[in-house]
Amino acid sequence: MASGVKPRVKVPKKAAAGETITIKTLISHKMESGQRKDSDGNVIPRSIINRFTADFNGQNVIDVTLEPAISTNPYFQFEAVVPESGEFTFTWYDDDGDVYDTSKKIAVS
Amino acid sequence: MKLTRRNLLIFSSAGVAATAMGSLPAFASLTDDAIAALTGGADMGTGVITITAPEIAENGNTVPIGVDAPGAESITLFADGNPVPAVATFAFGPLAASNAASTRIRLATTQNVIAVAKMQDGSFQMAKANVKVTIGGCGG
């Protein structure tokens, strides 16, 4: 499913060095579980995002493996520490090989 | 509390859920297999992990779940009443401020959500939370 996938990320614009910040991410995706059937009784093939990663200046914050039991429009909330100013990179990996990414800058004072 | 019809319904459904917790659902063995595959059959401690889950989820399609395990390297979530018990694995990197994360999951029916954490010293911790699911969100 490559259409209509839109990542949304909420990261504070600035923080103090070493401060804990909360990050919220959401990506619009159907997350078809592979368990449902259409009106003819055929199984609708699985199509989900199977991996999500968040990195800050090349260092990993969280790496999530997703299974079909994750809801439509996968949402994650987690916490990170920021040692210096830089950029968060968020990456989602689709079953069909597509990779969606977005990045957010943060200024550390 | 006055014994109204509404209260009576709440009490009786709580009783049913309590009995259901005693006997594990049919999918439980699948979950045990999945957990054994993860831990290699190692003994699991309890008490470290906190699962934040609603007691009653009206809509099983999106149930908010939070998990917190201080000192964990990774946390794996299982739902023992789902056709496929595995839900998600959170692996924490060097910049993770806490070993906690929240997400939204699908639950097929009333069941236990199980979190298994692999600690930094290689041991395993486990926690369980029972979630009652009202299918279709009819609120009854």
Side-chain angles (χ1 to χ4, degrees), chain B residues 39-45 122-125:
Chain B
T39 62
D43 285 342
M44 285 181 287
S123 65
F124 291 93
Q125 288 278 338

Side-chain angles (χ1 to χ4, degrees), chain B residues 29-121:
Chain B
S29 59
L30 263 179
T31 314
D32 291 344
D33 291 351
I35 293 173
L38 177 75
T39 62
D43 285 342
M44 285 181 287
T46 51
V48 170
I49 311 176
T50 318
I51 302 180
T52 314
E55 201 174 324
I56 299 174
E58 299 217 338
N59 183 358
N61 266 322
T62 113
V63 183
I65 299 282
V67 65
D68 185 359
E73 191 174 273
S74 68
I75 306 175
T76 307
L77 287 176
F78 298 98
D80 68 6
N82 277 3
V84 180
V87 172
T89 303
F90 302 97
F92 299 102
L95 287 181
S98 61
N99 302 100
S102 315
T103 186
R104 295 175 188 149
I105 69 171
R106 291 180 176 134
L107 295 176
T109 173
T110 296
Q111 59 182 286
N112 292 318
V113 174
I114 301 165
V116 178
K118 186 179 183 204
M119 309 308 282
Q120 272 145 5
D121 61 7

Side-chain angles (χ1 to χ4, degrees), chain A residues 20 26 30-31 33 35 56 59-73 75-81 83, chain B residues 60-63 79 82-98 100-107:
Chain A
T20 297
L26 187 119
K30 269 168 75 175
M31 296 293 280
S33 68
Q35 300 283 340
F56 180 73
Q59 273 201 291
N60 184 250
V61 178
I62 196 167
D63 187 337
V64 186
T65 310
L66 289 77
E67 305 287 345
I70 297 289
S71 300
T72 305
N73 303 340
Y75 162 85
F76 293 106
Q77 182 186 328
F78 52 92
E79 291 177 329
V81 277
Chain B
N61 266 322
T62 113
V63 183
N82 277 3
V84 180
V87 172
T89 303
F90 302 97
F92 299 102
L95 287 181
S98 61
S102 315
T103 186
R104 295 175 188 149
I105 69 171
R106 291 180 176 134
L107 295 176

